[in-house]
Amino acid sequence: MSIYRPELHFTADTGILEAAAGTLCDDSLTPDLPVWHMFYQYKFSPDEPSRWGHAMSEGNPFDWVECNDAVVATGGETQVRAGSVVAARGGVDLYFTSVTQAGTSIQVTRAEDLSELCEDIDDDFSVSSAFQRRGDVVSDAADFNRFRSPCVVPGWLHNEDRDQGSAGWLMLAVAGESDNPQVVVLRSGDGDSWKALGELEFHGEPGFDAASESIVAPRLARLRDEVDAVIYDVLLITLERGGRDETFYLVGTLKDNVFTVVTSAQPVDQGHDFSRPRTTTWTESARSLDQRFNRTYIYGPLRSSGRDADLTEEKNWETGGWAGVLSLPRRVTLQNGHIYQTPAPGLPDAVEETRRAKMWTGICDIPVGSKVVAELLDAHGEPAAVITHCGDAIELDRFDGTPARAELAEADEDNITIVVDSSTIEVFAGGGAVVLSSRFWPADGCSGIRVRSHGDAEIYSEWRRGH
C-alpha cells in the first residue's frame, strides 16, 4: 500500500476521485449498526468520462468496500457528474448531472431495494443492475438552462411549523453559463415533475456579494438549534475566488426561492484544502425520523479548487495510480446559529485498527500570549507540518509559505483534536467551532505527533491513538 494512501479517508481504488456525490445512512434494519453508502464522482483515467462510483461500510463510515458503479455515461453523454442522493419510497434515487455536446440536464436513476445494491459486485465494477435510469427530470426552461449540480431535500408540509413534517420535494440546482452561474430553487410533488420557483434570493445580509460572486455546489441541510429548538435551513455554498474554492454556510429559513438570513456566511473549513461538501440522507426508519434534525454528516474533497483542479499533479498519482481524497465524515450540529463539526463517532477505535493513522486530542488552557504547539513528524523525526494554538487563533503550517489560520472566539473551548492519515491532516478546535483540513506529503510518511506547551499554557489531559 502506498504510504500516501489514507486508510480512513475515502479514496477510489484506482483512478481520479473528483467529488463526493452524496451519502446514504441506512439504519432501517440494524439501528445500532447502520449501513453507510458512499456515492462519488470519479474517472478511471484523465481521458475517460466521469462516472458515479459506489462503496459501502457497515457499522461506521470508515471501512469502505467497493461496489459496482451506480451511473455511467451512455448514449451521447460525455460525462455524468455529481448530484444528490435521496432515500424515497423504500429505495434510493440518485439525481445526477448528464452532460452531452448539447449541454447539461438533471436525470435520475433509482434502486428499488437497498439490500440489493452490493449483491452483484464483479471485478470490473460495471454498472449495478440494481439501478434503473428514469431519464431527464429537469432540462432547459424558458428562463433557465444548463441545469446541473442538484441538491434534493424534502419540502415542508407547513413552512411556518416545521415540526408538522414534510411533503413533496425541493431542489437547489445551478443553471446558466459556467462563468455566471445562477442558483435556482425548484419544487416537485413526486420527485419527477419539477417547477422552477425562481433564482435564489437573500433577505437580509448574506455576508458576500450575492450579485457578483459565483455560487457553485449549493447544498441544504436542516438542523434543530440546540439553543432555541427551532429547525433552521443550513445553506452550504462554495464561492469561486481567484482560482480557489472557498466554502461557507449560512443559517436561516428558505421559503419558496427566498432565503431569510439569520447567520451570514461563515467559513466551513479554514485549512488549505476543502471544497464543495455534500450532505448525508437517512432512510425513513423510526430512529432516523426521531433524530433527523439533531445532526447531519458532511464530506468534502480535500483540495483547494473544484473546477480547475488537476489531480494528476498529486504525488500519489504517478506512484500509486490514484488521486483525490474525501474528508473524514463530520458530525454537524447547530448551536446558537453556528455549526459545530466534530469527527464521526467511532473514529478513535478506527484509528487503532490502521497501520499508520494517528490521532491526538488535548484538553487545554491556553491564555492569549501562550501556546500549544503540535509537530507532525516525518519518518526521519523531522517536522513536516506544525499546528499552533495561541489562545485566540490556531494555525496550520505545512512549510509551503502559506500557513492557514483561523480565529477563535473567547468563549470557544481550548481543546484540539488532530487526525493525521497518511497524506491528510484534519484539525478540530474550539469544541468544533473551527476546522482546518490540508493535504501534505511527509518524507516516507508520518511517524508521530509531538506536542509541547509554551508560556502559561497547560495541557490538562490528552489522548493518543495509532501506532
Side-chain angles (χ1 to χ4, degrees), residues 205-238:
E205 176 50 55
F208 63 97
D209 189 350
S212 63
E213 296 251 40
S214 292
I215 302 175
V216 296
R219 289 297 178 268
L220 195 68
R222 273 71 175 269
L223 291 172
R224 189 185 300 276
D225 195 295
E226 295 179 2
V227 177
D228 64 14
V230 175
I231 300 172
Y232 291 97
D233 296 313
V234 179
L235 178 64
L236 301 168
I237 60 170
T238 299

Side-chain angles (χ1 to χ4, degrees), residues 141 144 147 184-187 194-199:
F144 306 104
F147 282 98
V184 181
V185 183
L186 304 96
R187 177 184 292 156
W194 293 87
K195 176 184 178 181
L197 302 179
E199 187 172 357

Side-chain angles (χ1 to χ4, degrees), residues 1-122:
M1 179 183 290
S2 165
I3 60 171
Y4 296 132
R5 183 188 286 275
E7 296 170 84
L8 300 172
H9 291 69
F10 185 82
T11 63
D13 276 359
T14 302
I16 302 170
L17 192 158
E18 299 173 307
T23 310
L24 172 68
C25 184
D26 180 13
D27 63 356
S28 58
L29 297 178
T30 54
D32 295 327
L33 289 172
V35 177
W36 296 77
H37 294 275
M38 168 71 74
F39 298 94
Y40 57 97
Q41 177 188 322
Y42 83 109
K43 57 176 65 174
F44 283 125
S45 70
D47 299 326
E48 293 195 36
S50 300
R51 52 173 60 201
W52 274 40
H54 172 218
M56 179 185 70
S57 181
E58 293 184 303
N60 66 56
F62 305 111
D63 188 15
W64 298 99
V65 176
E66 290 277 1
C67 302
N68 279 23
D69 289 344
V71 190
V72 299
T74 62
E77 288 176 329
T78 58
Q79 306 279 349
V80 285
R81 293 179 178 161
S84 189
V85 177
V86 177
R89 300 178 296 279
V92 59
D93 292 331
L94 308 183
Y95 291 85
F96 62 93
T97 305
S98 170
V99 184
T100 66
Q101 294 294 334
T104 62
S105 65
I106 295 171
Q107 293 198 10
V108 65
T109 186
R110 177 171 175 78
E112 295 290 346
D113 189 343
L114 289 175
S115 65
E116 296 179 356
L117 292 189
C118 290
E119 288 187 350
D120 58 351
I121 299 175
D122 54 40

Side-chain angles (χ1 to χ4, degrees), residues 63 83 117 164 181 239 309 341 355 357 397:
D63 188 15
L117 292 189
Q164 293 192 36
L239 302 179
Q341 304 172 75
R355 295 172 57 191
D397 188 354

Side-chain angles (χ1 to χ4, degrees), residues 152-373:
V152 178
V153 297
W156 295 111
L157 183 63
H158 297 290
N159 200 47
E160 293 76 13
D161 186 356
R162 297 182 167 199
D163 282 309
Q164 293 192 36
S166 61
W169 303 94
L170 291 177
M171 178 188 292
L172 273 67
V174 177
E177 300 301 320
S178 58
D179 58 353
N180 185 29
Q182 305 164 283
V183 178
V184 181
V185 183
L186 304 96
R187 177 184 292 156
S188 173
D190 57 8
D192 290 324
S193 301
W194 293 87
K195 176 184 178 181
L197 302 179
E199 187 172 357
L200 179 65
E201 300 176 5
F202 293 97
H203 178 70
E205 176 50 55
F208 63 97
D209 189 350
S212 63
E213 296 251 40
S214 292
I215 302 175
V216 296
R219 289 297 178 268
L220 195 68
R222 273 71 175 269
L223 291 172
R224 189 185 300 276
D225 195 295
E226 295 179 2
V227 177
D228 64 14
V230 175
I231 300 172
Y232 291 97
D233 296 313
V234 179
L235 178 64
L236 301 168
I237 60 170
T238 299
L239 302 179
E240 297 179 311
R241 291 175 166 175
R244 288 182 55 86
D245 282 359
E246 296 184 33
T247 301
F248 298 89
Y249 72 90
L250 295 85
V251 178
T253 55
L254 176 66
K255 184 175 181 180
D256 295 329
N257 63 315
V258 178
F259 189 91
T260 300
V261 178
V262 173
T263 302
S264 59
Q266 306 292 315
V268 174
D269 189 302
Q270 293 173 266
H272 299 90
D273 300 305
F274 184 81
S275 176
R276 308 186 185 216
R278 297 295 190 262
T279 54
T280 299
T281 188
W282 276 264
T283 53
E284 296 178 349
S285 69
R287 176 169 176 164
S288 296
L289 290 171
D290 183 55
Q291 301 183 20
R292 172 164 295 179
F293 303 117
N294 293 345
R295 79 286 184 256
T296 189
Y297 292 85
I298 64 171
Y299 294 76
L302 292 186
R303 62 173 185 263
S304 60
S305 64
R307 186 186 312 181
D308 300 322
D310 183 0
L311 299 182
T312 62
E313 294 180 355
E314 291 183 2
K315 294 183 180 181
N316 38 264
W317 173 250
E318 289 190 5
T319 59
W322 65 275
V325 172
L326 298 184
S327 70
L328 290 172
R330 301 172 181 185
R331 186 179 188 272
V332 180
T333 57
L334 184 64
Q335 303 172 38
N336 204 25
H338 292 268
I339 68 169
Y340 287 77
Q341 304 172 75
T342 55
L347 180 60
D349 290 340
V351 171
E352 284 292 290
E353 295 297 321
T354 67
R355 295 172 57 191
R356 294 183 302 275
K358 293 168 178 61
M359 180 178 180
W360 180 86
T361 295
I363 306 300
C364 313
D365 179 32
I366 312 174
V368 176
S370 302
K371 59 186 177 182
V372 169
V373 178

